[in-house]
Amino acid sequence: MAPFPESESMTIKRLEVAIRKKDMNLLKDGAYKLHEKFHTGHRFEFLSELEQILEYVKTSDIPLEVTEILCPTIEEILNSGNIQDEPQTQIELRDEDIKLQGEAYENYMAQQGMQIEEKGPEPKLSEIQDFEHFQTIQQPQTPKETPVEEDKILLFYDDNSQDINYNEIKNYRNRLNMLFASQNNQDDYNLLKEIAVLNNLVDTKILDVDKALNMLKTLKSDVSFVTTSQSQELTKILVEKEINFDIPFVKKINNNTNETRNKFDFIPMLGLSNIFVCSNCNSRSLKTDFSTKTLSVQCPNCDSAAFPDLYAINSYNPDCNPIFWQRAFRAFVQSNIWIIINPPLDENKEIIFDFIKTVSECSKPKRVYLFSKENDKREFYKNIFLKSFPDAEILSNFLSVEMLCQEYIRIQVTNKINEKY
């Protein structure tokens, strides 16, 4: 009897084992197997595994002769229509399985009014499928394995800016609140001058986090992106990378889009320069046209003037949007993987590292990735996490965010392989 073609799961296992063992010959062989399977018109099902393998190969030291065949093949699979809509029954019968099932198969054929010749032709594939269905209804069902829960990821980012004067933001917020309470808008023009100054301060250049966002958008995981940066550049990155995101009571997830399979909860704890709050109805809206800097917009809800929704935190009586802080706290507590980039430790943001310390006492992540270029900050937070999470992995020896991303992908691929074997 001719052997059945190698299944898709077996082809992917070959690649994963090669990566785990760093066996380049096996990886090359798996690449050709995958290439052949794709060009037979096979409809692929295990897309997330292929995406993870692709990301690992792209970011690791893999021979060119392997990447030249493996990367284009996976990219073609992901971009082609050869994707399985519904899981299909896969037949992988070993010789010993067929011997053990022989008697049951004869009984089945007898029930169907058929005779089996001793030296007749081998059963057809459709007959084997019918037999397997017969077995499933005649024999006790084994309980299904509980699916492994997908990771919930917390990404925290601070822009590490030392130039922001929160006293100016505090004064701006006070004047904005007075304006909201007044029916006389004669101070609007003076307020716009302050906004122009503040925008130049808070719209800082965004470093490092874009690499983490680029990695996370390819994964099938829930992601909460919490930030203490107030720069509109963050939303610009999310839009440019076609990441579908929501902001509590500001922007909803677009359910009618194919941007990415996973969705991001974006929580700007201190507001953003391109979130505008209405002076009349207090509703908030997000501006995603980045061609010009905007000082004020017309509220889409009531047509009144709306101004940047920024908050100052340089005291223990901070201005804040309590919804943002509550959602940020919940995101930390509910996530089992933390990625912390540039956590603050300067005096102006003392309340932020107190927030992280407090939420650490209420959380139980299984793994924490910590990146900071400053040794004192890295050691400070590392000690907090080691004390708060004695059973978790605390990974902090990264020279760059690229190294952090590579380690994240390596651990994820290894863990998935271990789950299967």
Side-chain angles (χ1 to χ4, degrees), residues 329 332-334 338 356-365 388-389:
F329 195 97
F332 273 88
V333 171
Q334 292 184 344
W338 290 9
I356 296 176
K357 183 178 179 180
T358 301
V359 78
S360 296
E361 296 170 356
C362 309
S363 307
K364 291 184 178 180
S388 300
F389 317 132

Side-chain angles (χ1 to χ4, degrees), residues 67-84:
T67 59
E68 282 183 339
I69 182 68
L70 184 55
C71 292
T73 301
I74 296 178
E75 288 169 350
E76 282 189 76
I77 291 170
L78 298 177
N79 295 326
S80 72
N82 283 4
I83 297 173
Q84 186 166 299

Side-chain angles (χ1 to χ4, degrees), residues 145-164:
E145 292 184 4
T146 304
V148 178
E149 183 180 352
E150 291 289 345
D151 290 327
K152 291 187 177 181
I153 302 170
L154 180 283
L155 173 62
F156 174 86
Y157 171 75
D158 182 76
D159 55 25
N160 228 9
S161 174
Q162 305 292 322
D163 300 326
I164 298 175

Side-chain angles (χ1 to χ4, degrees), residues 141-371:
Q141 296 293 306
T142 56
K144 294 183 178 179
E145 292 184 4
T146 304
V148 178
E149 183 180 352
E150 291 289 345
D151 290 327
K152 291 187 177 181
I153 302 170
L154 180 283
L155 173 62
F156 174 86
Y157 171 75
D158 182 76
D159 55 25
N160 228 9
S161 174
Q162 305 292 322
D163 300 326
I164 298 175
N165 186 343
Y166 285 101
N167 287 326
E168 294 185 20
I169 297 179
K170 184 80 172 179
N171 292 335
Y172 161 73
R173 194 74 207 187
N174 290 337
R175 293 191 60 178
L176 188 63
N177 292 337
M178 290 177 62
L179 177 66
F180 286 2
S182 173
Q183 298 299 317
N184 187 348
N185 292 341
Q186 63 183 359
D187 290 334
D188 284 8
Y189 290 111
N190 291 330
L191 189 67
L192 293 177
K193 291 180 182 178
E194 289 187 31
I195 293 172
V197 173
L198 291 179
N199 279 351
N200 287 332
L201 286 175
V202 302
D203 285 337
T204 58
K205 187 176 181 181
I206 300 303
L207 302 173
D208 302 317
V209 74
D210 58 323
K211 302 173 183 67
L213 289 170
N214 200 49
M215 173 192 69
L216 292 175
K217 79 171 188 176
T218 66
L219 306 178
K220 192 186 293 185
S221 302
D222 293 331
V223 178
S224 296
F225 179 22
V226 177
T227 185
T228 48
S229 173
Q230 297 173 306
S231 175
Q232 68 170 338
E233 293 297 311
L234 286 172
T235 47
K236 184 177 181 181
I237 291 172
L238 292 170
V239 170
E240 288 178 346
K241 293 186 178 300
E242 298 185 335
I243 293 174
N244 199 0
F245 67 96
D246 71 348
I247 302 176
F249 293 93
V250 178
K251 178 187 179 298
K252 294 182 178 180
I253 285 286
N254 183 0
N255 291 319
N256 300 318
T257 180
N258 293 321
E259 288 175 349
T260 52
R261 289 184 298 162
N262 54 334
K263 308 294 186 284
F264 282 48
D265 292 322
F266 182 35
I267 308 168
M269 292 179 66
L270 312 184
L272 292 174
S273 64
N274 61 327
I275 294 178
F276 291 86
V277 57
C278 178
S279 58
N280 181 51
C281 68
N282 207 39
S283 64
R284 288 165 173 79
S285 58
L286 180 70
K287 175 182 174 291
T288 55
D289 176 10
F290 305 102
S291 57
T292 59
K293 288 191 175 183
T294 303
L295 305 181
S296 177
V297 300
Q298 192 173 26
C299 173
N301 187 48
C302 70
D303 294 334
S304 298
F307 303 93
D309 193 26
L310 300 172
Y311 301 91
I313 54 161
N314 56 327
S315 70
Y316 273 85
N317 183 27
D319 297 313
C320 74
N321 181 331
I323 293 174
F324 287 169
W325 285 62
Q326 185 270 337
R327 295 292 178 87
F329 195 97
R330 186 175 69 179
F332 273 88
V333 171
Q334 292 184 344
S335 299
N336 55 3
I337 292 181
W338 290 9
I339 301 175
I340 310 294
I341 298 177
N342 298 337
L345 197 57
D346 54 287
E347 186 176 338
N348 274 341
K349 294 181 179 178
E350 185 175 357
I351 195 171
I352 299 300
F353 64 74
D354 189 60
F355 172 88
I356 296 176
K357 183 178 179 180
T358 301
V359 78
S360 296
E361 296 170 356
C362 309
S363 307
K364 291 184 178 180
K366 65 181 181 182
R367 195 175 307 115
V368 178
Y369 298 84
L370 171 63
F371 173 77

Side-chain angles (χ1 to χ4, degrees), residues 18-191:
I19 288 173
R20 184 179 63 178
K21 294 184 175 181
K22 296 184 179 180
D23 186 333
M24 295 301 107
N25 289 328
L26 182 59
L27 188 61
K28 183 178 179 181
D29 181 54
Y32 279 104
K33 291 282 186 182
L34 184 70
H35 184 76
E36 291 170 4
K37 195 164 196 67
F38 172 62
H39 286 286
T40 62
H42 175 76
R43 297 178 68 81
F44 285 84
E45 176 185 358
F46 299 99
L47 302 182
S48 61
E49 285 83 354
L50 288 173
E51 286 182 345
Q52 291 158 14
I53 291 170
L54 176 63
E55 189 69 25
Y56 181 83
V57 171
K58 280 185 172 181
T59 57
S60 302
D61 186 17
I62 305 296
L64 184 62
E65 60 179 338
V66 178
T67 59
E68 282 183 339
I69 182 68
L70 184 55
C71 292
T73 301
I74 296 178
E75 288 169 350
E76 282 189 76
I77 291 170
L78 298 177
N79 295 326
S80 72
N82 283 4
I83 297 173
Q84 186 166 299
D85 297 325
E86 298 181 0
Q88 302 293 322
T89 303
Q90 295 189 11
I91 313 298
E92 294 181 35
L93 297 179
R94 299 173 299 175
D95 290 339
E96 58 266 34
D97 295 328
I98 295 173
K99 290 176 183 177
L100 291 173
Q101 294 171 353
E103 183 177 352
Y105 181 75
E106 290 177 5
N107 292 336
Y108 166 70
M109 294 296 287
Q111 289 185 25
Q112 304 302 314
M114 305 179 205
Q115 297 295 324
I116 303 177
E117 299 177 10
E118 286 188 9
K119 297 184 179 180
E122 295 289 348
K124 296 179 181 178
L125 177 61
S126 60
E127 293 172 342
I128 294 175
Q129 290 173 325
D130 289 341
F131 166 55
E132 289 195 334
H133 175 67
F134 169 78
Q135 280 189 315
T136 61
I137 62 176
Q138 293 293 323
Q139 298 178 3
Q141 296 293 306
T142 56
K144 294 183 178 179
E145 292 184 4
T146 304
V148 178
E149 183 180 352
E150 291 289 345
D151 290 327
K152 291 187 177 181
I153 302 170
L154 180 283
L155 173 62
F156 174 86
Y157 171 75
D158 182 76
D159 55 25
N160 228 9
S161 174
Q162 305 292 322
D163 300 326
I164 298 175
N165 186 343
Y166 285 101
N167 287 326
E168 294 185 20
I169 297 179
K170 184 80 172 179
N171 292 335
Y172 161 73
R173 194 74 207 187
N174 290 337
R175 293 191 60 178
L176 188 63
N177 292 337
M178 290 177 62
L179 177 66
F180 286 2
S182 173
Q183 298 299 317
N184 187 348
N185 292 341
Q186 63 183 359
D187 290 334
D188 284 8
Y189 290 111
N190 291 330
L191 189 67

